[in-house]
Amino acid sequence: MHDIAPNDSKLGAWKRGHGHAIVLQSSTETTMRITTAIVERARRTANGFKDLELAANEVIASGDAADAKGIALELLRSEVHQARCVATFILGRLAAGDGDALAVLKQRVSLDDDWRVQEILAKAFDRFCADTGYEAALPTIREWLSAASANTRRAVTEGLRIWTARPYFRAHPEAAVALLSPLRNDDSEYLRKSVGNALRDISKKHPDLIRSEVATWNLDHQGVRQVHKLAARLLTSPAA
């Protein structure tokens, strides 16, 4: 298999795997060649996300941030969902240092109708928080949790699981509960399930905290009952 870009590129090489390299070059033509190669590589991933994340990491490692973002934006145009997953991984790696990359995740990737892309959006948001620092990321966490898109809100609730395994929230589990609990009556069942599961996770180490929280809920609403059932599952089991 032949390299798809000139070997004298100043941006280095992106490994396709199996010893083949794609060399990055700062040009629209080369960006298109690279995205085409990534799409072909990505479509071979039938299950899991490991190689898609590896492809994103190789793009990040092989060029500057502007070139990587350009590749990501082109990949988002692909009809191949795996390629859009690679794009989302790339944007997640860039987001802490690039507000535009973060905005693309929030405003564009959140609209993707493929559930696998939404799973990577959650991972990308967690990467942003980790790179930023979870406490420093609190304003953005709150902003995303109040977004109009349920996918944007879920990127936070699902991405930060297990919340109390993350720095800051490990020492402040009550802060995690305070952020999650208001979403118990969210319009999206998809999101409510994520919230309930996240609270259940927290209950493993902080049962009294979750017990006290759910005791205050009004269970007249079906959605709240759904979240309560998930959140309190371990509290009411024989092993609790």
Side-chain angles (χ1 to χ4, degrees), residues 65-91:
D67 290 286
K69 184 166 69 175
I71 291 168
L73 293 177
E74 286 299 326
L75 288 171
L76 285 181
R77 298 162 60 90
S78 174
E79 295 182 356
V80 178
H81 74 266
Q82 298 99 317
R84 302 197 303 277
C85 287
V86 175
T88 305
F89 273 125
I90 293 172
L91 293 167

Side-chain angles (χ1 to χ4, degrees), residues 139-150:
T140 305
I141 290 172
R142 295 188 182 99
E143 176 190 335
W144 279 48
L145 286 176
S146 64
S149 167

Side-chain angles (χ1 to χ4, degrees), residues 128-223:
F128 160 78
C129 292
D131 290 344
T132 302
Y134 288 88
E135 184 173 11
L138 281 171
T140 305
I141 290 172
R142 295 188 182 99
E143 176 190 335
W144 279 48
L145 286 176
S146 64
S149 167
N151 286 336
T152 303
R153 301 193 298 275
R154 184 186 177 275
V156 183
T157 62
E158 194 67 20
L160 271 61
R161 289 181 60 190
I162 296 173
W163 280 64
T164 48
R166 270 46 177 176
Y168 179 71
F169 296 113
R170 184 184 298 118
H172 301 279
E174 73 286 349
V177 174
L179 288 165
L180 289 163
S181 293
L183 298 169
R184 62 186 179 271
N185 197 24
D186 196 272
D187 290 338
S188 168
E189 181 179 6
Y190 183 55
L191 176 65
R192 292 196 307 271
K193 287 182 178 179
S194 177
V195 170
N197 288 332
L199 291 170
R200 184 190 62 209
D201 291 341
I202 296 171
S203 77
K204 294 176 182 179
K205 289 189 176 181
H206 306 280
D208 291 341
L209 183 61
I210 301 303
R211 186 176 291 108
S212 297
E213 172 60 34
V214 300
T216 68
W217 293 0
N218 183 336
L219 301 182
D220 291 341
H221 191 282
Q222 181 179 355

